[in-house]
């Protein structure tokens, strides 16, 4: 279990820009690992209202329960390794395992008994150390949507911003406003709900 501050820069990119980045950094298909994220919130999106997100990430050999919440210094992550039985309980019965994530949610005033599963997002991810930070190349699939994203995770915000901006400029990639993965999943889910209400 841990609570750490994450500082990262994100940019949604096109498939062509993604392929350019893979070629530039000599990333091959074998460098990618598939992650599946399952997201939870209350029926009224209490976590979203509190600028927070809760997910289970399936990784090779284990599962990680993560609560992310915005702070003035970046994003605070609370992580907890959970087992397959706890994953099943949360996915099928909406019962959150006891631990640091549960405790933090209660402190935030989130009614943990009201948490429900609302969607999954699968990401093929490659990572590379780059100028004191980590470049992350993501190809994600969710609710019939496919997107590509470049992230840069750093400890020094100002230096990281400069390095990330210079990289985008060098490769002629336009900076674009980029929502988080869970934000994109929320919007896609809301669009589907609006469409079904019209029919």
């Amino acid at each position: 279990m841990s609570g750490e501050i994450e500082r990262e820069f994100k940019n949604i990119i096109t498939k062509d820009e993604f392929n350019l980045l893979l070629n530039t950094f000599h990333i091959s298909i074998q460098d990618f690992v598939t992650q599946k994220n399952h997201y939870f919130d209350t029926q009224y999106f209490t976590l979203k209202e509190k600028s927070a997100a809760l997910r289970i990430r399936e990784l090779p050999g284990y599962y990680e329960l993560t609560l992310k919440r915005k702070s003035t210094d970046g994003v605070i992550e609370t992580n907890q390794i959970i087992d397959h039985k706890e994953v099943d309980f949360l996915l099928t019965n909406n019962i959150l395992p006891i631990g640091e994530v549960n405790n933090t949610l209660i402190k935030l005033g989130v009614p943990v008994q009201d948490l429900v599963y609302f969607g999954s997002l699968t990401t093929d991810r490659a990572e590379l150390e780059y100028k004191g930070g980590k470049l992350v190349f993501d190809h994600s699939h969710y609710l019939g949507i496919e997107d590509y994203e470049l992230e840069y995770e750093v400890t020094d915000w100002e230096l990281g911003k400069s390095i990330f901006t210079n990289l985008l400029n060098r490769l002629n990639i336009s900076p674009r406003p980029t929502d988080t993965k869970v934000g994109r999943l929320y919007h896609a889910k809301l669009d589907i709900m609006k469409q079904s209400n019209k029919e």
Side-chain angles (χ1 to χ4, degrees), residues 150-162:
L150 178 67
E151 294 182 3
Y152 188 47
E153 298 176 1
V154 297
T155 54
D156 182 317
W157 180 267
E158 291 302 322
L159 180 60
K161 183 177 182 179
S162 173

Side-chain angles (χ1 to χ4, degrees), residues 10 14 19 44 60 68 86 90 95 114 124 130 139 149 164-165 172-173 181 186 191 193 198:
K10 300 171 173 282
T14 66
N19 288 328
Y44 303 105
K68 289 187 170 198
E86 292 170 313
L90 187 49
I95 297 175
D114 294 343
D124 295 315
Y130 181 72
H139 177 199
E149 179 181 20
F164 191 65
T165 301
N172 294 315
I173 296 174
K181 286 178 183 63
Y186 273 121
D191 287 346
M193 289 166 64
K198 286 180 183 175

Side-chain angles (χ1 to χ4, degrees), residues 10 13 18 37 115 146-147 159 169 175:
K10 300 171 173 282
I13 54 179
F18 189 75
N37 295 326
L115 290 171
E146 178 177 24
D147 68 32
L159 180 60
N169 289 339

Side-chain angles (χ1 to χ4, degrees), residues 116-177:
V116 293
Y117 164 78
F118 79 86
S120 295
L121 182 146
T122 301
T123 299
D124 295 315
R125 169 173 282 189
E127 299 178 347
L128 178 77
E129 295 300 318
Y130 181 72
K131 297 191 176 187
K134 188 190 317 179
L135 276 178
V136 180
F137 309 84
D138 283 346
H139 177 199
S140 298
H141 307 264
Y142 52 98
L143 301 176
I145 296 170
E146 178 177 24
D147 68 32
Y148 301 87
E149 179 181 20
L150 178 67
E151 294 182 3
Y152 188 47
E153 298 176 1
V154 297
T155 54
D156 182 317
W157 180 267
E158 291 302 322
L159 180 60
K161 183 177 182 179
S162 173
I163 291 169
F164 191 65
T165 301
N166 288 338
L167 174 62
L168 294 178
N169 289 339
R170 183 165 57 92
L171 296 175
N172 294 315
I173 296 174
S174 300
R176 300 173 182 101

Side-chain angles (χ1 to χ4, degrees), residues 67-81:
L67 173 65
K68 289 187 170 198
R69 56 198 194 284
K70 285 187 182 175
S71 79
T72 53
D73 294 328
V75 175
I76 299 172
E77 273 194 17
T78 305
N79 299 303
Q80 180 179 334
I81 302 302

Side-chain angles (χ1 to χ4, degrees), residues 9-116:
F9 301 92
K10 300 171 173 282
N11 203 59
I12 283 285
I13 54 179
T14 66
K15 185 175 183 177
D16 288 341
E17 290 167 340
F18 189 75
N19 288 328
L20 170 66
L21 283 159
L22 299 187
N23 289 331
T24 300
F25 289 99
H26 310 289
I27 304 287
S28 71
I29 195 75
Q30 290 81 16
D31 296 316
F32 283 86
V33 173
T34 300
Q35 302 175 342
K36 189 165 188 179
N37 295 326
H38 307 286
Y39 290 95
F40 301 83
D41 205 331
T42 67
Q43 179 183 352
Y44 303 105
F45 297 114
T46 306
L47 284 167
K48 186 175 188 304
E49 300 263 324
K50 295 180 179 289
S51 299
L54 179 66
R55 72 163 185 236
I56 294 172
R57 176 170 283 169
E58 289 184 35
L59 293 159
Y62 70 99
Y63 301 90
E64 185 176 57
L65 180 64
T66 299
L67 173 65
K68 289 187 170 198
R69 56 198 194 284
K70 285 187 182 175
S71 79
T72 53
D73 294 328
V75 175
I76 299 172
E77 273 194 17
T78 305
N79 299 303
Q80 180 179 334
I81 302 302
I82 59 175
D83 64 31
H84 187 72
K85 188 190 289 185
E86 292 170 313
V87 171
D88 282 346
F89 249 63
L90 187 49
L91 285 171
T92 58
N93 301 316
N94 299 319
I95 297 175
L96 192 66
I98 292 171
E100 190 173 350
V101 171
N102 193 328
N103 296 342
T104 304
L105 285 167
I106 290 167
K107 286 177 190 168
L108 290 172
V110 175
V112 294
Q113 69 279 3
D114 294 343
L115 290 171
V116 293

